[in-house]
């Protein structure tokens, strides 16, 4: 007879969002401790590929939506891997690519939230989806911060010798309302964008927790009736 723990583990492994959650966890737990060099770069590339695969797996329910996102993914990979891109001068192309990635991540986020907020019973996979969506929010806002900084380098006081992942670091500290103060927005649009992330992050947690609890109670009452 299966125990409750084994059922939870099987639900986690079979879910659409479990791989995505594990990949996001690897980004925070594995990459920071790796020594700088080819090992870190190779691991980062592998994890980035895993992120793309996990995102596509998460939205694989709708064939049309899945096909569109596969096309978007192929375009991003093709454009960035083309040697011609390296010879394109000016910031217009990079601005376009950052905007394209921002839209791409937003579409993935919307797809995940449609599953998380539907009226189906609360499962391990639904919880993994909610956690994955929270992580995805941080990465999406990071792309937005990078876009702001690219358009106007004075938007943030980024340290000259700071890490290349400053936008991700700043995004998640803002999302969690930590605010260490080592990187701060310097322009009105950048400050407004940062405030939006902080507020959205808190609203997201409140709404998701309330929704999952309400669904759990609803289905429990319906099952007992």
């Amino acid at each position: 007879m299966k125990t409750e723990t084994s059922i939870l583990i099987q639900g986690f492994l079979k879910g659409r969002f479990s791989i995505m959650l594990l990949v996001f966890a690897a980004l925070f737990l594995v990459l920071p401790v790796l020594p700088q060099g080819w090992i870190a770069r190779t691991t980062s590339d592998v994890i980035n590929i895993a992120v793309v695969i996990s995102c596509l797996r998460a939205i694989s329910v709708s064939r049309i939506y899945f096909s569109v996102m596969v096309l978007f993914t192929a375009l991003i990979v093709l454009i960035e891997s083309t040697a011609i891109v390296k010879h394109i001068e000016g910031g217009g192309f990079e601005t376009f690519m950052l905007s394209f990635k921002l839209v791409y991540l937003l579409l993935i986020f919307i797809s995940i939230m449609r599953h998380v907020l539907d009226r189906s019973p609360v499962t391990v996979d639904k919880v993994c989806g909610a956690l994955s969506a929270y992580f995805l929010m941080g990465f999406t806002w990071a792309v937005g911060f990078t876009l702001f900084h690219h358009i106007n380098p004075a938007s943030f006081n980024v340290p000259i010798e700071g890490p290349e992942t400053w936008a991700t670091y700043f995004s998640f500290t803002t999302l969690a309302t930590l605010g260490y103060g080592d990187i701060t927005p310097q322009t009105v649009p950048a400050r407004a964008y940062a405030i939006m992330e902080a507020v959205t992050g808190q609203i997201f947690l409140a709404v998701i927790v309330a929704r999952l609890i309400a669904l759990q109670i609803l289905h429990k009452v319906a099952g007992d009736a």
Side-chain angles (χ1 to χ4, degrees), residues 134 137-138 168-180 194 197-202 205:
Y134 186 74
M137 282 179 60
T168 302
Y169 163 75
F170 177 73
S171 176
F172 278 94
T173 55
T174 302
L175 185 64
T177 63
L178 291 175
Y180 289 121
E197 181 181 20
V199 173
T200 303
Q202 300 309 302
L205 292 176

Side-chain angles (χ1 to χ4, degrees), residues 116-134:
V116 172
L117 296 177
D118 64 20
R119 294 178 62 87
S120 61
V122 178
T123 61
V124 175
D125 189 47
K126 187 184 283 284
V127 174
C128 288
L131 294 174
S132 298
Y134 186 74

Side-chain angles (χ1 to χ4, degrees), residues 47-150:
I47 292 179
N48 287 331
I49 293 174
V51 168
V52 173
I53 295 175
S54 63
C55 286
L56 293 178
R57 182 170 184 261
I59 61 172
S60 59
V61 175
S62 173
R63 290 185 177 181
I64 297 178
Y65 195 82
F66 177 73
S67 300
V68 172
M69 295 310 296
V70 168
L71 179 60
F72 273 28
T73 303
L75 285 174
I76 292 176
V77 174
L78 179 63
I79 293 174
E80 290 194 334
S81 61
T82 303
I84 300 177
V85 173
K86 300 179 181 179
H87 301 287
I88 296 179
E89 297 181 357
F93 180 78
E94 187 172 352
T95 300
F96 168 77
M97 283 303 301
L98 288 171
S99 302
F100 191 78
K101 289 180 181 179
L102 190 61
V103 173
Y104 176 83
L105 292 175
L106 283 173
L107 291 175
I108 296 291
F109 177 79
I110 292 172
S111 177
I112 295 175
M113 291 306 298
R114 288 180 60 186
H115 172 75
V116 172
L117 296 177
D118 64 20
R119 294 178 62 87
S120 61
V122 178
T123 61
V124 175
D125 189 47
K126 187 184 283 284
V127 174
C128 288
L131 294 174
S132 298
Y134 186 74
F135 279 115
L136 194 60
M137 282 179 60
F139 289 112
T140 303
W141 244 283
V143 174
F145 288 131
T146 305
L147 181 60
F148 266 90
H149 184 66
H150 178 72

